[in-house]
Amino acid sequence: MSSFYSKTELQQLHFKKCGDDVLISKRAVFYSAEKIEIGNHVRIDDFCFISGGAGIQIGDYVHIAAYSALYAKFGIEIGDFVNISSRVNIYSTSDDYSGEYMTGPMVEERYIHDIGKKVVLEKHVIIGAGSVLLPGSILHQGVAVGAMSLVKEELEAFKIYAGVPTKYLKERSRKILEKELEFKKACFE
């Protein structure tokens, strides 16, 4: 007995799209699965919480490690070859903390004011364990975020960031793009 859903079981979850070679733990939780698109060669581990909200697009060769959570009320886009380490939280929405509105899921919609913006993770992004991404975070191609970091803005391509809030540390090698080409060539030989 496998701890991952079979292809037939995945179809019964009614994702908007579910590619080939998808491994999803039976211990992961999905809300609004019909708004979630999953590419090929994707793995989602135990105890992940993924809420489809305005939609989630997950590219190819993506790994979402255990205990991560994605809240997509305003949308989340994940590019190819992205690695989300364990206990990462991605929020495309936030409560309004101003005191002008009430907060919480048990309060009628007309009394609350959600603040949000789509979160985007481009190709070859890696996010370290325990990091938090806030609404409107955009991580351009090849960004690496160190463990326990707080992202709340747009991060430039092929740079390494860490901290609370994130600060630029140094350039990240672009050799990963050559490795991607080698990998794809080897896959089709």
Side-chain angles (χ1 to χ4, degrees), residues 7 10 18-24 38-43 61:
K7 186 147 182 96
L10 285 173
C18 189
D20 295 323
D21 188 29
V22 172
L23 296 173
I24 296 179
I38 301 172
N40 300 310
H41 316 290
V42 172
R43 181 173 148 177
Y61 298 99

Side-chain angles (χ1 to χ4, degrees), residues 15 31 83 90 99 104 107-108 121 141 145 152 157 160 173 179:
F15 290 111
Y31 287 92
N83 186 31
I90 301 174
V107 176
E108 286 183 44
L121 311 178
Q141 183 173 345
V145 174
K152 58 181 188 167
I160 300 172
S173 173
K179 294 293 182 187

Side-chain angles (χ1 to χ4, degrees), residues 65-66 68 83-89 126-132 145-149:
S68 290
N83 186 31
I84 298 171
S85 299
S86 60
R87 298 190 187 278
V88 168
N89 289 295
I126 182 168
I127 304 170
S131 293
V132 175
V145 174
M148 304 295 290
S149 294

Side-chain angles (χ1 to χ4, degrees), residues 85-143:
S85 299
S86 60
R87 298 190 187 278
V88 168
N89 289 295
I90 301 174
Y91 299 94
S92 71
T93 187
S94 176
D95 287 320
D96 183 332
Y97 286 80
S98 70
E100 299 290 322
Y101 300 92
M102 296 178 71
T103 61
M106 301 309 291
V107 176
E108 286 183 44
E109 193 81 23
R110 64 187 168 137
Y111 296 107
I112 65 173
H113 178 242
D114 288 327
I115 299 169
K117 197 169 184 186
K118 186 177 190 177
V119 173
V120 178
L121 311 178
E122 293 183 356
K123 193 180 219 184
H124 293 297
V125 164
I126 182 168
I127 304 170
S131 293
V132 175
L133 280 67
L134 296 178
S137 296
I138 299 173
L139 285 65
H140 288 288
Q141 183 173 345
V143 163

Side-chain angles (χ1 to χ4, degrees), residues 37-69:
E37 299 178 42
I38 301 172
N40 300 310
H41 316 290
V42 172
R43 181 173 148 177
I44 300 173
D45 290 342
D46 291 349
F47 311 114
C48 287
F49 175 89
I50 301 178
S51 179
I56 298 176
Q57 295 88 38
I58 300 172
D60 298 336
Y61 298 99
V62 172
H63 178 227
I64 302 174
Y67 294 98
S68 290

